[in-house]
Amino acid sequence: MTQRRVQNMEVTTCLDAHSSKDSYVFKIVLLGSSSVGKSSLAYRYVKKDFRDSLPTVGCSFFTQTLRLDNSTIKLEIWDTAGQEKYHSVCHLYYRGANAAILVYDITKKESLEKAKVWLRELEKEFLQDEIIIVLVGNKVDLSPEREVTLQEAEDFANTKSMLYMETSAKTNHQVTELFTALAHELLKQRQQKEKSLHATHRKKSSIDLQESTFNSIKCCQK
Amino acid sequence: MAADVYKQKNEDVPNGSLVPPDRQHAERSESPTPGLAQGTEPGAGQEGAMFVHAKSYEDLTGADNQDVIPRSPYQTEGAQDELTKMEEISKDFSELSTQLTGIALDLEEEIRQNEEDKLDLSPQASRRDSVLSGEEEEDVTMETWRMHQKHVFVLSEAGKPVYSRYGSEEALSSTMGVMMALVSFLEAEKNAIRSIHADGYKVVFVRRSPLVLVAVAKTRQSEQEIAQELLYIYYQIVSLLTWTQLNRIFQQKQNYDLRRLLAGSERITNNLIDLMARDPSFLMGAARCLPMPAGIRDAVSSCLQQAKAKSLVFAILLSKNQLVSLVRKKDQFLHPIDLHLLFNLISSSSSFREGEAWTPICLPKFNSSGFFHAHISYLEQNTDLCLVLISTDREDFFTVSDCKRKFQERLKKRGVYHALLEALHTPFYSASQVGIPELRHFIYKSKSSGLFTSPEIDVPYITEEEKERLLGLYQYLHSRAHNSSRPLHNIYYTGPNENLLAWVTSAFELYVCFSPLGTKATALTAVNKLMKWIRKEEDQLFILSPQTY
């Protein structure tokens, strides 16, 4: 896993340097069929703008730094191409990801089916607690042409214990919220992991103590 | 021969008309005479070339093989042959006038009257089919569709549509079926269809297993040129998939629908076809450099060279299809076709302007069986400076991305970034800077460096049609000069609107457009003067000292 934890180095320099709190780097990958709005979501979030974009070639890399609960979080966003010819290389991009955003177009039923395919791919690659997956129905600005109901997608997300959200990159609906929520979730998960790691550390250290006493006994016995 | 090449006298270069030279001028011949050996012509690199030596129509004039054999990356094809032809080029400049081939035919008239038959001397021209297949009638409903200047179709050997420049592939599946039938019909006789000439149209077939490419054109291009364009399209498809993958797919499933894999990249192919119609780079098989002071370019190149990584093979800095700098791994050469494909990829997508792209790409002339990974990004979102870093290691994104950062830091630290941006403001020079009144435009290609230079197309070629017409004239001269059965070295063409001169030696190619009032004699003096000017300006117009890793 490439969960890289950067201590006060590059991330904090671009924000207030005096915050000696923790810094985290999370890798997020955007997956989904072509022209569902993966690049537009990334572009809206990172550049705060919208434009009709052309199909992505290979994959685009963005970074965005944000602060949450006294922590500095750097999101590395890998925006993949939805075209089939890049599928053979896509595993390169999602390998080591901390989170995946599965994007579908609410006006295209088949794009949800494709998202399910991506989910299966991810399930093959990751253990359940290794990756946070968000299902995102994009293009809510086109809701009159909706083909996938909120209920349907939500139910699906629940059965697979994914987070779920509907967004519009065009009208800037819930885009920042999506990434912030995801960052929150990632942070929570990471801190929990660290806590449990600490706990085991403490447990381990107590064992160590016992061991050392045992050793010392041994020593004494000697 | 070659008496004044690399003269011993240390010439003092007078102030150039572009930017004052800020670099010690090397001892190079002031006036390139026909005795000029390859590698000493204006624009020739001082430390060897950056590119694989490319001949015109090399793929077509080479072994008439249906299957493309992946080429060795180290192959410098044709270099030897060129050297043996050295004596041929030792004719004096004065001979030029006597050798000029006057072609006083008005080109447009010639096309209109459909008299290509008289001019087209290629052997394949004898094999022609006067029957234009019934495919045209099938699309009578779409008159505008039929009116297009050039159609391009790509199909699989099973006759399945892969790409069509205009119209949907589904609607054309029967048309493409007919095309495949024509190809197969002749193949059954152990023969190959190359072209059909009828009704002012040229239907050109290129077969590169497992694909068949067909163009239906009523442009004034020669069959060879159209075939060359089709080959470019073939390479473009290979650059997305690799030759190996392409073949494997069709070996496994003969009637595979390749459009599935190519979905989303039609615009790359569309862009390529459009670009070929207006950018002489493709015709020349060479790259155009952004004119800039040699000192700045060298500084940029060395910054680029210093930002290296183990897996980096090529680093290319470009601005709007013009080369600024190219650094390559020692002993690795880029092929102009591969460079053009990169240029086309970049110009066909605005998505590179944001973020950093990391994409698998096959450079078919370098190695058609595998993918490189290209890091593509603009230096700043609002400049046209695009950096392409080509790596062999797909895992190396962060390392390569770091190279870009280092390069940018170095540029700023050395204070050349500003000067570089400055050079972007004048991406073209004017033909009037040469100081020859009757000179309108020219294209000069240095064969050994694979680079060419050309001024801005200016008055009277203002409209897009006029510009394309001029390029069409160059195309015509080029096809005459490179006709496989009867190549010409010197051509003087007198038309109603302009006079043109083409001069092709083993070291360089020169195509010049003069006002129609000039004479052959003035044209010859002008060419001499022009060559001197190019020599004087060469360090601005070309990359003379390419860097390697």
Side-chain angles (χ1 to χ4, degrees), chain A residues 4 27 34 39 43 47 51-63 74 76-78 82-89 91-93 95, chain B residues 240-241 245 256 260-265 267-268 345 348-360 371 373 376 381 394-395 397-398 401:
Chain A
R4 280 170 297 139
K27 177 174 174 179
S34 52
S39 301
Y43 192 70
K47 310 270 175 181
R51 84 243 123 88
D52 285 314
S53 59
L54 293 161
T56 308
V57 176
C59 137
S60 296
F61 177 77
F62 298 91
T63 57
K74 183 182 177 188
E76 289 180 353
I77 303 166
W78 292 81
Q83 299 151 34
E84 200 176 317
K85 66 172 165 292
Y86 294 114
H87 285 193
S88 53
V89 289
H91 64 94
L92 277 181
Y93 305 132
R95 187 190 301 156
Chain B
L240 294 170
L241 301 173
Q245 196 190 345
Y256 182 83
R260 265 179 58 196
L261 269 188
L262 294 177
S265 49
R267 80 207 142 87
I268 304 177
L345 177 73
S348 64
S349 178
S350 58
S351 73
F352 296 119
R353 287 199 178 261
E354 289 91 33
E356 300 168 47
W358 182 243
T359 181
F371 279 122
H373 272 70
I376 305 171
Q381 214 179 332
R394 59 190 196 183
E395 308 284 345
F397 173 82
F398 287 102
S401 175

Side-chain angles (χ1 to χ4, degrees), chain A residues 136-148:
Chain A
V136 170
N138 192 34
K139 306 196 187 176
V140 281
D141 52 296
L142 301 174
S143 49
E145 299 157 46
R146 184 188 278 276
E147 278 185 13
V148 181

Side-chain angles (χ1 to χ4, degrees), chain B residues 473-530:
Chain B
L473 289 165
Y474 286 140
Q475 262 167 352
Y476 171 71
L477 291 181
H478 183 270
S479 67
R480 297 281 306 186
H482 295 274
N483 188 309
S484 51
S485 55
R486 208 183 70 176
L488 300 170
H489 289 298
N490 313 109
I491 303 168
Y492 188 73
Y493 166 95
T494 340
N497 300 312
E498 59 274 292
N499 295 337
L500 289 118
L501 182 143
W503 184 19
V504 176
T505 76
S506 72
F508 64 86
E509 291 183 25
L510 180 66
Y511 302 87
V512 198
C513 173
F514 296 105
S515 87
L517 301 171
T519 62
K520 208 186 275 183
T522 56
L524 289 177
T525 345
V527 161
N528 207 355
K529 201 172 163 191
L530 174 62

Side-chain angles (χ1 to χ4, degrees), chain B residues 347-521:
Chain B
S347 66
S348 64
S349 178
S350 58
S351 73
F352 296 119
R353 287 199 178 261
E354 289 91 33
E356 300 168 47
W358 182 243
T359 181
I361 185 164
C362 169
L363 299 177
K365 297 292 280 182
F366 188 98
N367 184 342
S368 60
S369 58
F371 279 122
F372 280 112
H373 272 70
H375 180 281
I376 305 171
S377 62
Y378 281 79
L379 290 194
E380 272 172 46
Q381 214 179 332
N382 298 322
T383 68
D384 288 319
L385 279 172
C386 182
L387 180 67
V388 187
L389 299 169
I390 294 178
S391 161
T392 50
D393 188 350
R394 59 190 196 183
E395 308 284 345
D396 244 9
F397 173 82
F398 287 102
T399 319
V400 174
S401 175
D402 207 44
C403 289
K404 183 208 174 183
R405 194 185 47 78
K406 278 192 230 151
F407 169 59
Q408 279 184 294
E409 275 173 14
R410 269 213 181 86
L411 275 185
K412 282 178 183 145
K413 210 160 77 193
R414 287 185 65 170
V416 282
Y417 187 59
H418 188 73
L420 178 60
L421 292 181
E422 201 77 339
L424 289 184
H425 292 162
T426 48
F428 289 104
Y429 53 95
S430 156
S432 64
Q433 279 169 275
V434 184
I436 302 167
E438 58 272 30
L439 177 75
R440 283 186 179 173
H441 189 258
F442 67 88
I443 299 177
Y444 168 85
K445 173 190 170 183
S446 147
K447 280 190 176 174
S448 65
S449 68
L451 298 168
F452 78 98
T453 187
S454 188
E456 188 166 24
I457 301 184
D458 218 338
V459 190
Y461 309 99
I462 306 164
T463 63
E464 276 310 307
E465 289 118 62
E466 279 291 303
K467 284 179 184 171
E468 279 188 25
R469 191 179 68 84
L470 177 63
L471 190 63
L473 289 165
Y474 286 140
Q475 262 167 352
Y476 171 71
L477 291 181
H478 183 270
S479 67
R480 297 281 306 186
H482 295 274
N483 188 309
S484 51
S485 55
R486 208 183 70 176
L488 300 170
H489 289 298
N490 313 109
I491 303 168
Y492 188 73
Y493 166 95
T494 340
N497 300 312
E498 59 274 292
N499 295 337
L500 289 118
L501 182 143
W503 184 19
V504 176
T505 76
S506 72
F508 64 86
E509 291 183 25
L510 180 66
Y511 302 87
V512 198
C513 173
F514 296 105
S515 87
L517 301 171
T519 62
K520 208 186 275 183

